Amino acid sequence: MVNQLLLTLLCMSAVSSAQSDKPVIQLRLGGEKRKHYEGRVEVFYNGEWGTVCDDDFSISAAQVVCRELGFMDAVSWAPSAKFGRGEGRIWLDNVHCTGAEKSLAQCESNGFGVSDCKHSEDVGVVCAQKRIPGFKFIRNQAVSGEGMTVQVEEVRIRATYSHRKRIPITEGFVEVKDGGKWRQICNEEWTEMNSRVVCGMYGFPDEKTFNVRPYKLLAKRRKKNYWGFSVNCTGNEADLSDCKLGKEIQLKGNNTCRWGMPAVVSCIPGRAFAPSVSMGFRKAYRMEQPLVRLRGGAMIGEGRVEVLKNGEWGTVCDDNWDIRAATVVCRELGFGSAKEALTGGRMGQGVGAVHMNEVLCSGFEKSLTECYFNRDSVGCSHEEDAAVRCNVPAMGFHSRLRLSGGRNPYEGRVEVLAERNGSLVWGSVCSDSWGTMEAVVVCRQLGLGFASHAFQETWYWEGDSSADAVLMSGVRCSGTELTLDQCLHHGRHVSCPKGGGRFAAGVSCTQTAPDLVLSAQVVEQTTYLEDRPMYALQCAHEERCLSSTADKADPSSYRRLLRFSSQIQNNGLSDFRPRASPQSWVWHECHRHYHSMEVFTHYDLLSLNGTKVAEGHKASFCLEDTHCDEGIQKRYECANFGSQGITVGCWDTYRHDIDCQWIDITDVKPGDYILQVVINPNYEVAESDFTNNIMKCRTRYDGHRIWTYNCHIGGTLSSDVEDTFPGLLTNQLSHR
């Protein structure tokens, strides 16, 4: 019995010894990142940084790596040097983890430095964004060397009491959460570059100087709890976790940071977030023609990156697109650093040219156009359009609005927080004139993505009974506002004849949306004139496709028709589906099928100053997939009362030779005009981008022949060029 006990103790001792003998390592994520919580796995061992080979690597090993770095979990791992090839030694190969290990060093492998791999096999991981609560960073003295990155649970700007009510908070002490406790950073080694990175994380494009005196006085009175390290940022990092760890601070109670004080940052907000009371901010930002813009994103500070070249907007190819280039875009547009650099047309596909490829930025450029790039975009298609998600300031928008009674968090009755009789109360919104544009603003304000539907009746959603009273009415939005209260509305004098309750406004939101774009090239190539006798236009006349003068025209007379084809493609991320249910679709004798949208396009001929010279008409459509990009299956067809819509990557073509695919110009005099086509003009179906729903062409008519030229989509040219096309910039097309 004694021998058996001794044997057990010896075995336990051997296991304990084996575990303690495991080498001590430190980890970091390096390489060509697109977000700060991903990258090439790099290991510091024996005084040298090296990489890990992808042979036998698994999601269990990725989980060990991510948890060792303070993240809650791993999302995925990537072989074959996805984040670029590393340098130096390949420390680990044939790594086998169960997922329960505390460190990658505890996983089975060939041993440190034993590998037959090349750096083309360097492994990378994508970690979950959320940090482990209470995670404490420990720098192992055995491996303390250059290149360690900052690994803390959270970072914040702690405003002084007098600044706490300001929105957004732009100034305060920098604090990091380590081991579950908030700690200050000693400013003895603090630099402007460190401040620039912290400001970027909080949605601000840059830092500025500030009055240090009140902070010194405050620091003397406050109890301090310093973090044990300094921080060393170069200034082009997107997140503090990408910065290198500085020297260790000796924690000596009140004598810690003896020659300094807690670090403070003061940030400059972008134009969209600058306090309106401060004229200084507005003077700092002159409204000039921007060279870069974002399109197709649901939230402010996200979207497909587009650049202006020779008066024409085009996209950026995603080859080599990384978080450094994305951060240049974000800062240029008045946001902070980039949260994520997106590839593969993740914010929808653009139109026109691809202007930039293989972009390489240092991170300090004032504009993306200053970065190195390859002008040759051969091989790049709009399927590779680059996009960004930027850090934006916390404005507290979502606290003043809520959805109530829905089946899920993405739908419900809209309820607003407003002051009544000296106290803040929740109430509903009048649904008079409530439509898609208002729903767009609500979904954006709540961070719920794109609008899916706007509802003028919400009796099927049981909202909060204490919020039945109507607190907001007459709401009219353009769709660009950040909050509902920025839209036009009646103010304190609410007027809602039909009342709230079942008639309160509601919305449903979605993460993806369609984006319809008309081919300007097809219109330009297919335009021609036809003189057609009235007796052959009987069906079209009944459907109101002719000018009103046709009502009194002789049956043997002719109408002059400006004909063209319409090819409408869905470049978005979800199918375009009609709002009306099949039971309400209308049979059209001319086309011999059902139309699911009574007003799908407007066709008009305008004078050069924008007034209508031909009556045009509102064309109804049956929506179907006429053709699709390679590899995409058709889903919608008009025949046999089929499902209607336009699939992502497909287009619906209405040929020039079918009824109503024209403008009646019988009464138009010779001259120069503008041909205008507008898709989804009443915003009946929500889209990710309405600016590209309008197309205009210059047109010259000599009384016998017609020339159509310079056809282009709204928003594809610079404002200087589009000045000659009224309405293109504002897209004020319909009055609901």
Side-chain angles (χ1 to χ4, degrees):
M1 186 71 180
V2 174
N3 288 342
Q4 194 173 355
L5 184 63
L6 280 169
L7 190 63
T8 305
L9 288 169
L10 280 168
C11 288
M12 288 175 66
S13 171
V15 169
S16 171
S17 165
Q19 285 183 345
S20 61
D21 286 345
K22 286 286 182 186
V24 179
I25 62 170
Q26 299 269 197
L27 300 179
R28 71 181 182 190
L29 299 179
E32 298 156 12
K33 301 181 180 187
R34 288 175 180 155
K35 38 188 183 275
H36 68 84
Y37 42 92
E38 69 175 17
R40 183 176 58 241
V41 179
E42 297 187 350
V43 180
F44 191 79
Y45 171 72
N46 200 23
E48 190 180 343
W49 284 102
T51 62
V52 177
C53 183
D54 59 16
D55 291 350
D56 296 340
F57 203 82
S58 66
I59 191 66
S60 297
Q63 287 167 341
V64 173
V65 168
C66 290
R67 284 199 290 267
E68 191 170 354
L69 287 166
F71 297 100
M72 286 283 280
D73 203 356
V75 174
S76 62
W77 63 279
S80 308
K82 181 190 172 182
F83 299 102
R85 300 183 183 196
E87 296 175 345
R89 301 282 295 273
I90 297 175
W91 279 126
L92 293 170
D93 188 9
N94 298 111
V95 177
H96 292 268
C97 302
T98 65
E101 295 87 353
K102 299 288 186 197
S103 169
L104 194 65
Q106 293 173 4
C107 297
E108 290 183 17
S109 70
N110 292 350
F112 278 83
V114 182
S115 172
D116 58 356
C117 296
K118 297 176 181 175
H119 281 299
S120 58
E121 300 170 81
D122 285 345
V123 78
V125 297
V126 180
C127 299
Q129 192 173 356
K130 200 170 180 188
R131 307 285 300 191
I132 297 171
F135 174 79
K136 181 162 180 62
F137 168 69
I138 298 170
R139 180 160 73 169
N140 293 303
Q141 295 302 319
V143 295
S144 57
E146 292 295 314
M148 278 301 307
T149 50
V150 175
Q151 295 165 20
V152 291
E153 189 182 335
E154 211 176 325
V155 183
R156 73 178 180 188
I157 299 174
R158 189 182 178 197
T160 60
Y161 186 76
S162 60
H163 285 190
R164 261 173 218 167
K165 289 186 180 177
R166 292 187 184 179
I167 296 176
I169 290 173
T170 58
E171 189 174 297
F173 292 106
V174 182
E175 296 189 339
V176 294
K177 198 174 189 181
D178 187 35
K181 292 183 179 178
W182 286 104
R183 303 173 190 277
Q184 299 85 40
I185 299 176
C186 176
N187 75 342
E188 286 178 5
E189 308 253 333
W190 190 261
T191 65
E192 288 179 3
M193 292 297 107
N194 295 351
S195 296
R196 176 178 157 87
V197 173
V198 172
C199 287
M201 288 174 67
Y202 274 84
F204 305 113
D206 214 342
E207 51 81 37
K208 63 181 178 70
T209 56
F210 59 95
N211 182 5
V212 75
R213 192 162 173 268
Y215 289 100
K216 275 186 176 177
L217 294 171
L218 201 58
K220 282 181 182 175
R221 296 201 301 267
R222 268 190 187 164
K223 185 181 177 184
K224 292 172 283 294
N225 185 13
Y226 283 107
W227 192 45
F229 301 92
S230 60
V231 175
N232 185 14
C233 301
T234 58
N236 60 2
E237 299 89 349
D239 194 273
L240 201 67
S241 62
D242 294 323
C243 295
K244 298 291 186 288
L245 204 61
K247 70 176 187 182
E248 197 162 351
I249 303 291
Q250 296 299 316
L251 301 177
K252 304 175 183 174
N254 290 337
N255 287 325
T256 306
C257 194
R258 191 174 177 185
W259 308 110
M261 58 175 269
V264 174
V265 296
S266 183
C267 308
I268 303 172
R271 191 190 314 119
F273 310 101
S276 56
V277 292
S278 173
M279 294 303 291
F281 284 121
R282 283 192 281 187
K283 284 177 184 172
Y285 296 97
R286 284 178 299 190
M287 289 294 286
E288 297 171 352
Q289 171 70 62
L291 297 175
V292 178
R293 70 182 184 185
L294 301 182
R295 281 288 185 270
M299 304 294 112
I300 186 168
E302 69 174 33
R304 179 179 60 252
V305 180
E306 297 188 350
V307 293
L308 188 66
K309 178 184 174 185
N310 298 332
E312 184 183 350
W313 288 99
T315 61
V316 177
C317 189
D318 63 11
D319 293 351
N320 299 347
W321 186 248
D322 61 12
I323 200 161
R324 194 172 282 183
T327 292
V328 171
V329 170
C330 292
R331 289 189 190 274
E332 176 180 3
L333 294 174
F335 307 115
S337 52
K339 269 195 284 197
E340 191 172 358
L342 298 159
T343 58
R346 289 262 305 279
M347 291 285 181
Q349 296 182 26
V351 294
V354 178
H355 285 333
M356 298 176 83
N357 184 23
E358 297 173 353
V359 177
L360 182 65
C361 303
S362 70
F364 294 104
E365 294 87 354
K366 295 292 183 187
S367 171
L368 185 71
T369 56
E370 295 175 12
C371 298
Y372 291 104
F373 66 95
N374 186 353
R375 295 172 191 275
D376 182 7
S377 56
V378 174
C380 281
S381 69
H382 286 301
E383 291 176 1
E384 300 168 84
D385 283 346
V388 297
R389 280 199 182 100
C390 305
N391 286 311
V392 296
M395 303 295 288
F397 290 151
H398 60 278
S399 62
R400 305 201 293 269
L401 191 73
R402 70 186 184 191
L403 300 184
S404 182
R407 296 161 297 178
N408 58 62
Y410 288 86
E411 67 176 23
R413 184 174 81 176
V414 178
E415 294 178 357
V416 294
L417 188 65
E419 188 181 332
R420 290 293 182 272
N421 301 322
S423 59
L424 289 172
V425 293
W426 286 98
S428 60
V429 178
C430 185
S431 64
D432 282 351
S433 77
W434 187 260
T436 299
M437 285 306 179
E438 289 70 42
V440 163
V441 175
V442 168
C443 294
R444 178 186 296 127
Q445 183 174 348
L446 292 171
L448 297 177
F450 299 101
S452 178
H453 289 101
F455 299 95
Q456 293 192 345
E457 288 189 31
T458 51
W459 52 268
Y460 37 80
W461 287 329
E462 195 175 341
D464 189 336
S465 59
S466 66
D468 280 346
V470 176
L471 296 182
M472 199 175 194
S473 64
V475 183
R476 297 294 295 269
C477 304
S478 69
T480 59
E481 297 87 351
L482 300 183
T483 64
L484 199 63
D485 58 12
Q486 288 177 2
C487 300
L488 291 171
H489 60 281
H490 288 154
R492 298 185 66 86
H493 303 289
V494 173
S495 172
C496 190
K498 62 184 179 183
R502 64 171 291 175
F503 294 109
V507 301
S508 62
C509 307
T510 177
Q511 291 297 296
T512 57
D515 182 22
L516 297 188
V517 181
L518 179 73
S519 171
Q521 186 180 8
V522 168
V523 172
E524 190 166 325
Q525 290 172 350
T526 58
T527 309
Y528 65 97
L529 293 180
E530 183 194 11
D531 289 341
R532 195 169 178 84
M534 272 299 297
Y535 62 77
L537 293 168
Q538 208 57 42
C539 186
H541 190 203
E542 289 172 10
E543 292 198 13
R544 314 305 300 166
C545 296
L546 301 173
S547 297
S548 56
T549 55
D551 296 343
K552 298 174 183 177
D554 187 274
S556 61
S557 64
Y558 282 75
R559 307 299 295 180
R560 178 155 289 181
L561 307 175
L562 170 58
R563 283 186 173 274
F564 51 89
S565 294
S566 292
Q567 181 182 299
I568 298 159
Q569 181 154 2
N570 183 358
N571 283 353
L573 297 173
S574 65
D575 295 355
F576 185 94
R577 298 298 311 276
R579 186 176 177 186
S581 61
Q583 293 77 20
S584 61
W585 294 354
V586 179
W587 175 259
H588 280 252
E589 193 63 36
C590 290
H591 296 157
R592 303 295 298 168
H593 55 220
Y594 286 91
H595 284 189
S596 57
M597 288 184 72
E598 272 309 293
V599 182
F600 181 63
T601 54
H602 283 179
Y603 297 151
D604 287 299
L605 196 67
L606 313 174
S607 68
L608 295 183
N609 66 8
T611 57
K612 288 186 183 182
V613 294
E615 288 179 30
H617 65 279
K618 300 172 181 179
S620 59
F621 265 53
C622 166
L623 303 174
E624 67 175 2
D625 297 328
T626 312
H627 298 285
C628 295
D629 288 333
E630 190 177 344
I632 296 175
Q633 194 76 30
K634 293 181 184 179
R635 297 179 61 187
Y636 306 106
E637 62 176 353
C638 297
N640 304 319
F641 199 52
S643 294
Q644 293 194 23
I646 306 176
T647 305
V648 175
C650 298
W651 55 92
D652 187 1
T653 303
Y654 261 54
R655 284 173 51 87
H656 54 82
D657 53 2
I658 65 172
D659 268 1
C660 297
Q661 192 58 38
W662 63 57
I663 297 174
D664 182 353
I665 63 165
T666 306
D667 308 310
V668 174
K669 295 175 181 177
D672 288 315
Y673 300 103
I674 294 171
L675 167 63
Q676 175 179 280
V677 180
V678 185
I679 314 165
N680 192 15
N682 297 336
Y683 313 117
E684 191 176 320
V685 178
E687 298 183 45
S688 60
D689 187 358
F690 286 106
T691 61
N692 56 18
N693 281 30
I694 183 169
M695 188 227 63
K696 297 201 176 192
C697 304
R698 293 297 291 265
T699 303
R700 175 163 290 180
Y701 175 49
D702 68 357
H704 307 285
R705 294 166 297 173
I706 198 154
W707 293 267
T708 305
Y709 57 100
N710 285 358
C711 293
H712 67 280
I713 303 298
T716 56
L717 303 182
S718 71
S719 58
D720 299 336
V721 177
E722 289 187 348
D723 281 344
T724 58
F725 292 84
L728 261 180
L729 290 176
T730 58
N731 201 16
Q732 298 301 311
L733 305 171
S734 66
H735 300 281
R736 288 174 282 118

